[in-house]
Amino acid sequence: MIRTVIAGLGNMGLSHALAHHAHPESEIVGLVDRSGRDLPEALAAYPRFQSFEEALAETRPDLVCIATYSDSHADYACAAMEAGAHVFVEKPLATTVADAERVADTAARTGRKLVVGYILRHHPSWQRLIKEARTLGGPYVFRLNLNQQSDGETWETHKQLMQTTSPIVDCGVHYVDVMCQITDAAPRRVNGMGLMLSDEIAPDMYNYGQFQVVFDDGSVGWYEAGWGPMMSETAHFVKDIVSPNGAVSIVSTSDEGSDDVEGHTKVGALKIHRLSGDEMVDFPGEPGHQELCDAEQAYMLRAIAEDIDLSRHAQDAVQSLRICLAADESIRTGRAIDL
């Protein structure tokens, strides 16, 4: 039985906690939550801590699941591994490349397992998209975005996130990871632009951004992300991969709002365009958000039990973060960034 602590009980933390509650090989020994919020009945009886350090010292867990705000990820992950625990950490891995490398280096030195919350890696529809794109062959054009027309509680969450992390970094690491899995080439240069569209955020932050990335194999990528009540929901979900031999595109059938987490992973169908003609691939009964979180945590537990080599996973997480942080720097400085 794996003794597990969950740190952070927001949207993702609650889902991960429910995944461990339901898994027969995991025992939750502590929940870290400073807000004191009401919890689902399934989680209400577990010990709760306001301090991460206190939870780590008192419970001595085998696994720590970190779903706090991004600026605490690196310190919490390193502290947990130094204390002997394996770590699942939500994306982004850190808020700087140096901190991301510190986490990856700590995992390598301590021999602890490190999994980063790239939920799309566990989605069968996205796995098929990557496979089909690689079959077409490169070089590639990646056209990806995720704009969210958020208001009310979701806008408040986005404003809180933007105290430490821009939309480009927070959401972008998922889709840059997809780009990197498909091309498997090193990034060479990033160029970005962005704009502050609300006076409710800090003057040095932006809630709309886009960037272009060039890879060593000639592939080029575009990613766009925006948060807020002013965002358009027209073409808010674009997922196209184009190659000399055709294209693979997500045809979204989701009817959720653009800020609904369920709609961010649903594929609906793939349209595979080859020079010889088109093919539609449907995905009935694809997993919802909780099922994907269940799959992530099941993989984390399996990596511990089967001693899966996760060194490439850590390197990929650092790489995707490096690209997104370079894009963030480009947006803030107005100049292209060589990688």
Side-chain angles (χ1 to χ4, degrees):
M1 187 69 70
I2 300 295
R3 294 166 50 81
T4 304
V5 163
I6 315 292
L9 295 177
N11 179 61
M12 296 306 299
L14 276 177
S15 293
H16 294 317
L18 289 169
H20 282 283
H21 170 77
H23 200 288
E25 296 174 14
S26 181
E27 175 191 4
I28 296 176
V29 294
L31 303 172
V32 181
D33 175 37
R34 295 176 180 173
S35 69
R37 71 192 70 193
D38 292 334
L39 296 180
E41 184 178 351
L43 304 177
Y46 290 119
R48 295 175 73 171
F49 299 85
Q50 287 205 332
S51 163
F52 178 78
E53 294 76 15
E54 180 186 6
L56 201 60
E58 288 196 17
T59 66
R60 297 187 177 277
D62 305 305
L63 169 63
V64 174
C65 178
I66 300 167
T68 52
Y69 285 112
S70 305
D71 56 343
S72 63
H73 286 183
D75 287 344
Y76 282 7
C78 289
M81 288 186 285
E82 296 288 2
H86 304 285
V87 166
F88 175 93
V89 58
E90 261 304 330
K91 56 79 186 167
L93 176 56
T95 54
T96 69
V97 173
D99 273 347
E101 291 175 336
R102 173 165 62 96
V103 177
D105 290 346
T106 301
R109 175 173 53 80
T110 60
R112 299 295 87 189
K113 302 301 181 186
L114 171 67
V115 172
V116 183
Y118 286 158
I119 199 168
L120 299 182
R121 287 190 169 214
H122 303 274
H123 196 304
S125 306
W126 283 85
Q127 292 168 350
R128 176 69 180 272
L129 177 142
I130 291 168
K131 177 183 177 181
E132 293 291 348
R134 288 181 63 88
T135 298
L136 286 174
Y140 300 96
V141 174
F142 302 106
R143 301 176 61 244
L144 304 170
N145 79 350
L146 182 61
N147 293 320
Q148 299 181 55
Q149 188 183 94
S150 61
D151 55 19
E153 184 178 345
T154 308
W155 177 227
E156 292 303 317
T157 298
H158 281 156
K159 286 189 289 185
Q160 182 70 31
L161 283 168
M162 284 186 285
Q163 292 183 22
T164 58
T165 310
S166 70
I168 281 292
V169 176
D170 182 80
C171 297
V173 289
H174 277 309
Y175 302 105
V176 169
D177 182 56
V178 170
M179 295 183 195
C180 292
Q181 287 183 74
I182 293 172
T183 180
D184 210 24
R188 182 161 28 112
R189 187 175 65 255
V190 176
N191 186 62
M193 64 181 86
L195 195 64
M196 183 180 73
L197 295 171
S198 171
D199 59 8
E200 297 181 53
I201 62 176
D204 62 346
M205 180 53 74
Y206 56 91
N207 63 308
Y208 171 82
Q210 62 169 269
F211 68 85
Q212 300 80 42
V213 55
V214 179
F215 293 89
D216 274 347
D217 68 344
S219 295
V220 295
W222 159 80
Y223 179 72
E224 173 192 62
W227 291 341
M230 75 296 294
M231 291 305 301
S232 169
E233 289 192 310
T234 301
H236 73 275
F237 188 90
V238 176
K239 305 290 185 290
D240 287 334
I241 295 94
V242 184
S243 92
N245 300 306
V248 185
S249 306
I250 289 179
V251 181
S252 177
T253 58
S254 172
D255 57 3
E256 286 92 354
S258 60
D259 67 337
D260 192 301
V261 69
E262 289 287 355
H264 297 173
T265 55
K266 284 187 176 179
V267 170
L270 290 184
K271 183 175 183 178
I272 305 170
H273 167 65
R274 301 181 182 90
L275 302 186
S276 58
D278 294 350
E279 176 188 359
M280 295 295 294
V281 180
D282 292 324
F283 292 98
E286 61 182 333
H289 180 260
Q290 183 59 54
E291 291 171 287
L292 289 170
C293 290
D294 293 348
E296 281 191 293
Q297 297 311 317
Y299 177 75
M300 176 80 249
L301 292 165
R302 191 166 70 254
I304 297 169
E306 300 176 9
D307 193 23
I308 296 173
D309 183 358
L310 297 175
S311 54
R312 172 64 188 268
H313 177 82
Q315 294 166 10
D316 288 349
V318 174
Q319 179 80 296
S320 59
L321 181 63
R322 178 181 287 109
I323 293 170
C324 289
L325 288 174
D328 185 75
E329 181 182 352
S330 178
I331 289 170
R332 295 175 187 277
T333 62
R335 60 183 178 84
I337 305 297
D338 291 325
L339 295 168

